[in-house]
Amino acid sequence: MNQKLALVLFAFAFIVAIVVGFGEKQDLRPAPAEFRAKFQETLLKPLRHADPALPSNPPARNPSSEHGDRRPAGAPPAEETGEPLTREAFVEKYGDRLRFEDYENRVIRVDGSGIPAEGFADTQKLDRFRPSDATEASARAREVFANARRLLGIPDEAEFIQHPPTTGEATAQSIFQQSENGIPLSPGGTVTILLGPDGEVRSIESSIYPKVEVANQASLERPEASREILYVTQSSPVAIVHHAYETRDRGVQKVVDAQTGAVLLERNRRVY
Amino acid sequence: MADLSRPSQLRFSFLPRSLGALAAIAVFASCAPKTGVKSTTGLAAYCPDSVSSSVIAGSTGSGKVFKLDPLVASGNASLSPGSSTLGNYTTTVTLPNLLGYGTLKGTYVDVITDACGESYGAYSTTNDFRYEHGDGRFAEVMNYHYGNQFRSDLASSSALYPSGSFLMIANCDVDDNAFYSQGTDSSGNLVDFVCMGRSTKYPDTTSFSEDGEVMMHELQHGTTGHAYSSVNDFNVFDFDEAGAINEGLSDFIGLIQGDSEVVSPFKNFEFSRWALGLLFDSSAMRGAAKCPVWTADYPTCSNYSKTPSSGFSATGKRISFAYPDGLGWPYAGYASGKNPKDVWASDLGFEEIHQTAPIVTGAMWEIYQSLVSSSADSATARHRAQLLLMETIKTLPQANASDPSPVTMPVLATKLNAMAATATAGAFSGAEQTSIANILSARGLTGLSSVGSGWASVGSITVAGHAGLFFNETSAVGPANNRMHAGEKGMIWFDIANSSANTAAAPLIKVTSSDSRVTFSGASKNPGYVSPTVAFIRYGKINGSNIVNALNNGTALDNVGITNSYFNGVNLYGVNSQTALYIEIGSGMTTGTTFNFTVQITPANGSGTETLTYPVTMQ
C-alpha cells in the first residue's frame, strides 16, 4: 500500500515538475562565476590555427607530492642537453662576441642582441632551426640552459620548470622558472633565453636565487582561482620564501601565506 | 634654499587633473570590483537569457561604429561628448574573424560586458550587431571592431602576442579610465583582459570604448608585456622608465593604427583626442610632437632642440620633448602660450609614467614616418614598425639582483638600433638604419652626454632637521612633524644634488640602512624590496646646470625656479608617493640615536655608481 502511495506521489510530483519547470521560460544562463570560468577555460584552449607554443596550460599535477605540486619539467636527459660548460667553452660553442655581465661571481646577463647574423659562426647556429616551432625552440633552449648552469651560478640541486616558449618568426623566448618540488618561486627566479632565427643565442637573463630557505609549510587548502607559489619575501643574501597562494582579482594581486593566511602582498597590477 | 618646511603643502595634495593622476591614485584605492560574484539583478534588459555553445552563424558579421572616435567620425572638432547627436556619425562596418557563436567572440578578441554580469551582451544568430549609439551594446561592437583590427594586423606583422583570443570588457566597472591587466581563472591560470571604463562626466552619452585609439593602447600593453616575458613584469616600480616606455609604445601603436582613419582638421600625431582630450575638466591628451601643445611653436616645434640652451627657455616659453631634460612636461592641458613657470608650479605629475611617455611616442612615430617614406605603402610601413618594435622588446633586459628595473629609454634606443641592424626583424636598408639612428639621437635617446665621476652629493635641503632627507609619516607617534620617532612608519626621499652640466637620467637608487631597527616595509609598499635593510627605487632625473640655466634665463616673473637637486628639480617631491621608499622605525630607536642611510646612485648616463651617506639623528 505504501509503495503504491509513493508511486502515485512520485508521478504527481513528476507531472508538476514538467508543468512548472518546463512550462515557463527558464534562465539557462549559468551563474556569472561559472560562466566566467567556462569562457576563460575556452579562452585558454588553443585555437585551431594558433601557435602550438601557446597558450600555456600548467604542467600536470604531481600526485606524488604531499602538496599536490605541479610536476616540474625537470632536468631532461643529459644526452639531450649536454653538461655545464666553462665560460671559454660556452663562448666557443655559442658565440665569441657574446658579452657577459657578472654579479657576485656569477653571470646574470649574456647579451648577443647586437651581433649581426654573420657574427655567429655556422657551428654556433643550428641547421634548419625554426623559431616558430615550439618543440625545436624548447629543445635548443634546454641545451643552452644546461650548458650555462655553471656560469649562472645555479646549484646542482636547483630545480627549474620550463615554460612553453614564446615563439615567433624571428626569435623564440624560453623561460626556466626556479622551483621547489614543482612549485615556482615568484617573483624572479627565472632564466630567460632568447634564440635568434638560426638558433643562435641572442640573450640569457638570470634572476635566480643561489640560496633558498623555505620559511613555512602549506597547511591551508588552496582557494579557488588561485595558484600556489613560493613567494620570495626577501631576496638577499639568502632568498626566504613562503608557501603562498596567489590570486588576481581584476588586476589586483594578492598573495596570502599558505600556512597562516596572512597577506604577504597586495598590489594593484593594472596598467592604465 | 627652498622653503620646504610646510608639510601641509607636501602631503598628498596630488589632485587628479589627468588620467595619469587618476591612475596613480587608483593604486591606493580599494575600488577594485569583484569578479564573478555579481548579482544578476541590475543587468541590462538586452542581456541574452542564454547563448549558444555551438556554432550557429558564420565568421563575418556587421556592426555600427565610430570611425576611430566621434570627433574624427563627424569631422567636427567642436563636437561635445554631451551632444545628443553623436549617433548621427556612426558607420556600418564588416566584423570579420567571428567564431560563429552569435556573440562577439572571435579569433583575435572576445568581447563581454559588465552590463551583463561579466558576460556576453551582444547576441545575434545572424551576426547582425548593428546597434544604435544609445544602445549599450554599441560599446561592445566598438571593442570588437578595433580589437580585431589591431590584433589581426599584429598577426599580419608576425608580431601577435599573446596568440590566443584576447578578452575585452566593454562597459567595464571602472570610472574615467581604462586598463590592461590579468585575472585568474578557476584553476589559478592567468587570463589577460582589458577593461574599458565609463565616463562620470558624460555617463549618458559616451564611454572610453568610443575611442578606438584608447582600446588599441590598452591592448598593446598586453602585447608589450607578453613580448617581453610570459613571466616577468615589464614595469617594476610604479614610476620607472619601463612604465613610461610601456605607455609611450601603447600611445604609438594607437597612433599608427588610427593613422589611415584620421581626417582633417585632426592631427594624426595626437593621441586620444576624444577620451583624454574631452572627458576630463582639462585636456589630458598626449601625442608625438616635439613640444607641448601649450608652447607657441606647436605643432611644428620649430625651436625643438635636445640641447638645453636652445631647446628650453624660460623667457622664450620653450620646452622640447628631448631626453632627459624634456621628461615630465605635460603634453596638453594648458592654454597656448602658457608660461613654463606656471605649468611647473601647478602640475604635479612630472615623474608620472603617462606624462613622461611622449619622448618615446614621438621617436617611434618619427621612425614610422620614415618607414612610410621608404616602404611601398603605409600598411607595409606599419607592419615593419610593429615587427621591429616587438622583436626589440624581446631583447630588452630582465630584472636581476643587480638591477630590478633595467629597462630605460636609452636601453630601448640602443636595442632598436641593434635590431634594425641585425635583420632579425626584417631587412632594413642602410639608409633606413641611418634614419632610425638619427631620429633616436635627435630625441636625445642615444649619444647621451654623461655625468662624470663625482657628480652626486647630498642635497642642501633640510626638512625638520633631517639633512637631505624628507620623512613623511604614514603612521605617526605623536604629531606628524616630519621628524623621525621610534615606532613610526613613513615614506622617505633623498635629496641628491648634481654638480654636472648634464642631467643625470633615470638614476637607480639602492638604499641601505645601517641600523637593523630601521627597516624597509615589504614588497607591498616597496616593489624594490631586497631585505629588511636594503631596497631599490628609481627617480626620474636630477637636473644638470645646463637645463637649470635654460629654465632660469629671464626675470623672476619667468624663471621656472628649478635647481640641480632632486627635491627641487623634478617635481614637488613628497606629493608623489610612487618614488618613495617606505620605512619602519623600531621601538628601540630613542631620541639621539644615530644611524646612516647609504645611497648608491646609478644613472643611465653615468660612468658608474656614486655612493652618498645620509646621517640621521632620531628626534
Side-chain angles (χ1 to χ4, degrees):
Chain A
M1 185 66 182
N2 286 343
Q3 283 181 331
K4 284 184 180 177
L5 180 61
L7 191 62
V8 169
L9 288 172
F10 176 77
F12 178 74
F14 183 72
I15 291 168
V16 169
I18 289 174
V19 171
V20 175
F22 303 142
E24 295 178 355
K25 187 179 179 185
Q26 265 198 327
D27 185 356
L28 301 176
R29 182 174 50 207
E34 296 169 4
F35 194 91
R36 176 170 172 254
K38 200 171 182 180
F39 74 68
Q40 286 175 344
E41 283 166 10
T42 305
L43 191 71
L44 289 167
K45 290 176 184 171
L47 298 170
R48 275 175 297 176
H49 303 295
D51 186 327
L54 290 172
S56 54
N57 283 322
R61 307 290 288 182
N62 181 355
S64 63
S65 166
E66 59 181 338
H67 299 302
D69 305 325
R70 297 190 193 290
R71 182 183 296 278
E79 64 271 18
E80 186 182 338
T81 61
E83 296 297 319
L85 300 178
T86 62
R87 185 175 303 209
E88 292 71 25
F90 190 89
V91 162
E92 183 177 352
K93 182 174 181 180
Y94 291 108
D96 48 12
R97 291 172 64 178
L98 294 171
R99 291 185 299 145
F100 292 76
E101 185 176 334
D102 297 290
Y103 178 79
E104 293 184 347
N105 301 316
R106 58 191 168 92
V107 173
I108 55 173
R109 178 169 295 141
V110 180
D111 187 6
S113 61
I115 303 173
E118 61 273 20
F120 292 93
D122 289 343
T123 55
Q124 294 160 351
K125 304 175 185 175
L126 287 183
D127 278 344
R128 295 185 293 277
F129 177 79
R130 292 171 299 165
S132 59
D133 186 300
T135 304
E136 292 180 24
S138 292
R140 176 64 164 174
R142 279 198 301 275
E143 178 186 0
V144 175
F145 177 67
N147 289 157
R149 281 184 76 114
R150 183 179 299 161
L151 294 174
L152 301 175
I154 298 173
D156 291 342
E157 67 278 10
E159 172 193 301
F160 284 79
I161 297 168
Q162 184 178 13
H163 289 273
T166 299
T167 57
E169 295 295 318
T171 55
Q173 184 195 67
S174 283
I175 298 178
F176 296 82
Q177 177 83 55
Q178 193 170 358
S179 61
E180 298 269 342
N181 295 318
I183 305 171
L185 275 65
S186 180
T190 58
V191 175
T192 303
I193 297 173
L194 184 67
L195 301 171
D198 298 314
E200 75 276 20
V201 172
R202 285 292 169 183
S203 68
I204 302 174
E205 300 274 350
S206 171
S207 60
I208 65 108
Y209 302 105
K211 297 175 183 174
V212 177
E213 285 182 13
V214 182
N216 69 345
Q217 294 182 327
S219 54
L220 300 176
E221 187 175 350
R222 182 174 72 88
E224 188 182 1
S226 71
R227 68 167 185 148
E228 186 176 2
I229 60 173
L230 282 165
Y231 179 65
V232 181
T233 56
Q234 174 178 316
S235 58
S236 177
V238 176
I240 298 176
V241 301
H242 287 70
H243 286 277
Y245 300 121
E246 180 195 27
T247 57
R248 298 213 185 189
D249 186 350
R250 286 217 170 183
V252 178
Q253 180 187 23
K254 194 169 184 179
V255 178
V256 298
D257 189 297
Q259 184 174 27
T260 67
V263 176
L264 300 174
L265 177 80
E266 186 161 14
R267 198 169 173 223
N268 188 331
R269 307 305 297 268
R270 297 172 177 181
V271 185
Y272 295 90
Chain B
M1 179 182 295
D3 178 11
L4 294 171
S5 61
R6 293 170 295 164
S8 61
Q9 287 193 340
L10 304 171
R11 191 169 294 129
F12 300 107
S13 56
F14 192 26
L15 299 176
R17 59 162 305 280
S18 70
L19 181 63
L22 288 168
I25 282 174
V27 172
F28 297 100
S30 56
C31 59
K34 301 292 289 185
T35 55
V37 292
K38 290 176 184 161
S39 166
T40 54
T41 59
L43 300 183
Y46 54 72
C47 299
D49 293 331
S50 63
V51 296
S52 175
S53 59
S54 57
V55 174
I56 56 171
S59 60
T60 301
S62 60
K64 287 186 176 181
V65 299
F66 289 126
K67 296 294 280 185
L68 201 57
D69 62 57
L71 287 173
V72 170
S74 68
N76 176 11
S78 302
L79 186 66
S80 167
S83 170
S84 60
T85 67
L86 297 184
N88 296 342
Y89 308 112
T90 62
T91 300
T92 298
V93 295
T94 298
L95 303 175
N97 303 318
L98 291 163
L99 294 182
Y101 295 103
T103 58
L104 291 172
K105 180 180 177 65
T107 304
Y108 296 107
V109 291
D110 184 6
V111 180
I112 60 171
T113 174
D114 275 347
C116 294
E118 206 180 57
S119 183
Y120 296 106
Y123 185 61
S124 168
T125 57
T126 59
N127 281 346
D128 184 355
F129 301 106
R130 290 174 296 175
Y131 305 112
E132 297 301 325
H133 173 249
D135 189 311
R137 291 170 289 187
F138 180 86
E140 297 173 50
V141 179
M142 280 290 289
N143 275 267
Y144 186 86
H145 175 65
Y146 281 103
N148 173 75
Q149 174 179 303
F150 169 49
R151 288 183 48 78
S152 61
D153 196 61
L154 284 181
S156 299
S157 309
S158 299
L160 182 66
Y161 305 100
S163 64
S165 189
F166 205 107
L167 189 66
M168 304 183 75
I169 306 175
N171 300 309
C172 191
D173 281 343
V174 63
D175 288 341
D176 297 314
N177 223 326
F179 65 87
Y180 155 78
S181 196
Q182 293 179 314
T184 41
D185 67 10
S186 57
S187 300
N189 301 307
L190 295 176
V191 178
D192 295 276
F193 69 96
V194 295
C195 167
M196 301 301 305
R198 58 201 165 209
S199 167
T200 56
K201 192 172 182 183
Y202 303 102
D204 299 326
T205 51
T206 191
S207 76
F208 278 63
S209 292
E210 294 179 2
D211 191 324
E213 289 182 343
V214 171
M215 281 179 275
M216 293 184 280
H217 169 106
E218 303 304 343
L219 286 169
Q220 176 59 32
H221 282 317
T223 310
T224 298
H226 278 271
Y228 179 67
S229 174
S230 61
V231 175
N232 299 321
D233 292 325
F234 190 71
N235 311 20
V236 178
F237 302 139
D238 291 323
F239 278 5
D240 61 13
E241 285 204 350
I245 291 168
N246 205 344
E247 298 304 331
L249 298 184
S250 280
D251 287 359
F252 163 66
I253 287 294
L255 292 179
I256 65 171
Q257 285 289 323
D259 184 23
S260 63
E261 297 188 46
V262 175
V263 295
S264 178
F266 303 103
K267 300 176 182 66
N268 59 356
F269 55 84
E270 289 184 341
F271 172 75
S272 187
R273 59 191 63 77
W274 181 255
L276 293 183
L278 297 177
L279 303 190
F280 298 93
D281 291 338
S282 61
S283 174
M285 186 182 71
R286 301 189 294 269
K290 289 180 171 173
C291 60
V293 172
W294 43 271
T295 51
D297 56 344
Y298 183 87
T300 61
C301 304
S302 54
N303 292 312
Y304 170 86
S305 173
K306 68 177 179 180
T307 303
S309 59
S310 49
F312 299 80
S313 171
T315 52
K317 301 179 180 179
R318 190 181 308 149
I319 298 295
S320 294
F321 281 131
Y323 188 86
D325 291 313
L327 285 169
W329 289 93
Y331 193 88
Y334 298 93
S336 181
K338 188 77 171 176
N339 192 326
K341 176 186 179 184
D342 297 333
V343 174
W344 168 260
S346 61
D347 199 288
L348 304 178
F350 272 71
E351 290 180 298
E352 201 279 329
I353 56 178
H354 298 82
Q355 200 158 304
T356 49
I359 294 171
V360 168
T361 311
M364 290 306 304
W365 174 256
E366 289 161 15
I367 289 172
Y368 162 71
Q369 294 284 9
S370 173
L371 292 177
V372 167
S373 66
S374 62
S375 301
D377 51 43
S378 60
T380 303
R382 187 176 68 244
H383 292 163
R384 297 180 72 200
Q386 287 174 161
L387 181 58
L388 172 66
L389 177 58
M390 282 6 133
E391 288 299 332
T392 299
I393 292 171
K394 285 182 173 181
T395 68
L396 292 173
Q398 308 279 326
N400 58 42
S402 173
D403 185 350
S405 166
V407 178
T408 63
M409 294 185 190
V411 168
L412 171 70
T414 300
K415 297 290 187 180
L416 274 167
N417 277 331
M419 184 56 65
T422 58
T424 302
F428 291 86
S429 69
E432 288 175 328
Q433 291 180 44
T434 300
S435 176
I436 291 169
N438 288 342
I439 288 166
L440 295 168
S441 174
R443 286 282 187 164
L445 293 166
T446 58
L448 274 76
S449 300
S450 64
V451 289
S453 177
W455 65 272
S457 60
V458 175
S460 59
I461 294 177
T462 293
V463 182
H466 297 305
L469 189 148
F470 176 49
F471 174 69
N472 183 58
E473 298 95 334
T474 56
S475 175
V477 174
N481 55 10
N482 307 110
R483 299 175 186 274
M484 292 190 191
H485 298 109
E488 289 187 329
K489 297 180 181 179
M491 309 147 77
I492 54 169
W493 295 261
F494 297 92
D495 191 23
I496 299 167
N498 177 7
S499 62
S500 170
N502 302 314
T503 294
L508 179 71
I509 314 289
K510 181 181 181 182
V511 183
T512 303
S513 166
S514 66
D515 194 309
S516 60
R517 294 170 294 181
V518 179
T519 60
F520 294 100
S521 305
S524 289
K525 294 288 190 183
N526 295 309
Y529 180 86
V530 174
S531 70
T533 56
V534 180
F536 283 94
I537 193 68
R538 194 183 281 279
Y539 291 166
K541 60 183 175 182
I542 302 168
N543 292 323
S545 59
N546 287 341
I547 187 66
V548 170
N549 293 336
L551 290 175
N552 294 300
N553 64 344
T555 65
L557 198 64
D558 294 325
N559 287 347
V560 174
I562 64 169
T563 70
N564 64 337
S565 86
Y566 179 65
F567 278 7
N568 198 30
V570 174
N571 203 344
L572 301 177
Y573 80 98
V575 297
N576 180 349
S577 61
Q578 274 73 10
T579 56
L581 286 169
Y582 288 75
I583 62 168
E584 300 175 11
I585 303 169
S587 57
M589 298 295 287
T590 55
T591 302
T593 304
T594 60
F595 71 99
N596 295 325
F597 285 115
T598 301
V599 178
Q600 295 170 276
I601 311 152
T602 310
N605 58 336
S607 56
T609 297
E610 302 276 312
T611 300
L612 304 178
T613 301
Y614 290 74
V616 177
T617 301
M618 298 301 298
Q619 301 185 39

